[in-house]
Amino acid sequence: MESRMTINTLLRGAEIYVPGYQRGYSWDSDMTVHASANQVAVFLNDIMDYISSEHSTHYYLGHFIFERRDDSSYNIIDGQHRLTTAEICLSALLKRIEELNGKLTDDELELKEDILVRKTKRHFHTVDYDDSIFAEYIIDAKPFAEDFINTLKIESQRRLLSAMLYFRNKFSGMEYEDVRSIMYAIAEADCTVHEISDSSEALEVFIFQNTRGKKPTKLDILIARMMQLYSETDDKKPIFLAKLADINSAVSKLEKYRIDADSILSCAYRIWKDNFSASFSQAEFDKELSDASDKDAFIQRFADTIIKCTDAITSFIRLADSGNYKAISKLCSLEAFPSVLPFI
């Protein structure tokens, strides 16, 4: 990868993946749980401001950090949400052009093949548990109604489709030339790129990243740290990585109930310490880990504790959702509900 390029050049001929230790899409729009922080609207407003201003240079979409997987595929370490949002926005723009004109021109079709999908080969893949939704409703732009979003169990999937719906609504009243100008502003946007070939360095960068979007949670950092310290040669590593993905999937499902990642981590740590007043810190965890005789086993046990907590909380919430337990439903609706998770 070159150090500076356009978004079109970045995606053309490459396959980019969100690695398993990162959580799913977490930018908010009008319909999502934390819609007071509408990062999707900020993304579009910045581009619209750029287009309306007198500019002599390309729009700048920021800095991206990648870890090389092989000759043409990469893990995205920093910039996941900006690149995901760009893909969603471009898909919505291309769909609007098809609605206006019935088909894409040759240059528009080429842009779609360079940035979204060429035949069956996609250029961008999100986390595994969201990727089929991303492929079907974002890349292929399959129609969906607003009510469909609420049927999804995973918050990151709802966020993906809410962002798509937000862009669709914004572009629905726009004419062809306006839509094209936004599309090419994104496709020709400049970005700077840094490539990392060492997985340990990639994880360190992820742990200490600080972008305009959402900062990593304590749980994000812990998962990256556990992945970093887990034995590279252990034949059980694929199973362990699947556990980390399961944790992120469970967190995304529980966000609907105002239970965030760090509430789950706090709950798991108090269970781990058998102390309801214990407070998680990465430094304390690292110290416990350094004292452990079998570091891989220690990490496995701690990951299992988090999974057991998410399973127990999920089961409890299902009782509330069933409508058969009014007291449980009332408890789940309380603002202080996350604080009682260790008791559950």
Side-chain angles (χ1 to χ4, degrees):
M1 282 188 173
E2 301 173 16
S3 60
R4 191 176 185 96
M5 61 182 73
T6 66
I7 293 299
N8 194 336
T9 306
L10 170 66
L11 289 160
R12 185 193 309 137
E15 282 189 273
I16 294 173
Y17 296 81
V18 178
Y21 55 82
Q22 292 196 34
R23 289 176 61 203
Y25 188 65
S26 63
W27 273 15
D28 291 307
S29 54
D30 290 343
M31 290 185 58
T32 46
V33 174
H34 308 289
S36 58
N38 195 335
Q39 293 96 346
V40 175
V42 171
F43 175 92
L44 181 59
N45 289 339
D46 283 350
I47 294 167
M48 298 297 286
D49 288 345
Y50 160 80
I51 292 171
S52 63
S53 66
E54 294 183 6
H55 52 269
S56 57
T57 59
H58 291 177
Y59 180 73
Y60 180 61
L61 200 55
H63 188 64
F64 296 91
I65 300 176
F66 296 95
E67 175 196 5
R68 179 179 289 275
R69 291 162 59 109
D70 54 39
D71 289 343
S72 61
S73 68
Y74 304 84
N75 286 334
I76 185 165
I77 306 303
D78 188 15
Q80 173 205 157
H81 292 92
R82 279 174 285 133
L83 197 54
T84 305
T85 307
E87 289 267 301
I88 299 170
C89 189
L90 286 164
S91 179
L93 288 162
L94 287 161
K95 189 66 175 176
R96 175 60 179 163
I97 290 174
E98 288 180 332
E99 290 169 356
L100 288 167
N101 299 340
K103 64 177 182 178
L104 302 176
T105 63
D106 288 345
D107 68 300
E108 291 160 356
L109 182 59
E110 183 178 2
L111 184 146
K112 180 178 181 178
E113 291 178 342
D114 285 346
I115 289 182
L116 297 181
V117 58
R118 185 177 295 276
K119 295 182 179 179
T120 59
K121 184 178 180 181
R122 286 192 285 133
H123 297 289
F124 187 83
H125 304 260
T126 189
V127 290
D128 287 346
Y129 51 86
D130 290 344
D131 204 43
S132 61
I133 289 286
F134 185 80
E136 188 171 1
Y137 294 99
I138 306 300
I139 301 302
D140 294 340
K142 179 180 176 180
F144 62 89
E146 183 175 325
D147 289 347
F148 174 69
I149 296 175
N150 294 323
T151 69
L152 299 172
K153 302 298 184 183
I154 298 179
E155 187 62 29
S156 51
Q157 294 177 2
R158 286 193 286 271
R159 286 189 173 112
L160 287 168
L161 267 58
S162 294
M164 184 66 166
L165 185 62
Y166 175 85
F167 287 130
R168 273 175 26 187
N169 291 339
K170 286 292 184 181
F171 302 146
S172 63
M174 288 188 183
E175 297 302 323
Y176 178 58
E177 290 303 323
D178 293 328
V179 173
R180 269 181 65 96
S181 66
I182 299 171
M183 182 175 69
Y184 279 101
I186 299 172
E188 296 171 357
D190 281 336
C191 63
T192 49
V193 174
H194 180 63
E195 182 185 323
I196 294 169
S197 57
D198 180 78
S199 59
S200 294
E201 183 185 358
L203 285 161
E204 287 289 350
V205 170
F206 172 73
I207 289 170
F208 294 109
Q209 72 172 318
N210 183 6
T211 66
R212 183 177 180 180
K214 291 187 175 182
K215 294 181 181 180
T217 64
K218 290 180 182 179
L219 182 58
D220 291 332
I221 294 170
L222 174 65
I223 286 175
R225 187 74 173 140
M226 290 194 296
M227 184 177 174
Q228 180 185 45
L229 296 173
Y230 197 80
S231 172
E232 289 287 340
T233 58
D234 195 316
D235 59 3
K236 296 179 181 178
K237 187 163 188 177
I239 298 173
F240 177 67
L241 295 182
K243 284 185 179 182
L244 299 186
D246 287 344
I247 291 172
N248 281 331
S249 176
V251 170
S252 288
K253 292 176 183 177
L254 291 170
E255 281 183 318
K256 179 181 179 182
Y257 302 92
R258 296 172 290 105
I259 302 172
D260 61 24
D262 288 342
S263 294
I264 293 169
L265 176 57
S266 176
C267 173
Y269 191 67
R270 288 171 178 178
I271 299 299
W272 173 263
K273 299 292 287 185
D274 195 20
N275 180 348
F276 283 166
S277 64
S279 179
F280 176 84
S281 78
Q282 189 64 53
E284 179 64 25
F285 177 84
D286 288 345
K287 182 179 183 303
E288 290 183 54
L289 179 59
S290 67
D291 293 339
S293 57
D294 186 337
K295 291 180 173 53
D296 282 355
F298 178 93
I299 292 170
Q300 283 268 19
R301 288 196 304 273
F302 196 83
D304 287 341
T305 300
I306 299 173
I307 290 171
K308 287 176 182 176
C309 284
T310 59
D311 287 347
I313 296 164
T314 301
S315 296
F316 189 81
I317 285 173
R318 282 180 185 148
L319 296 177
D321 282 348
S322 72
N324 297 324
Y325 303 90
K326 291 183 179 179
I328 291 177
S329 298
K330 288 181 179 179
L331 177 60
C332 291
S333 68
L334 293 176
E335 189 172 343
F337 176 56
S339 65
V340 304
L341 295 180
F343 294 94
I344 293 170

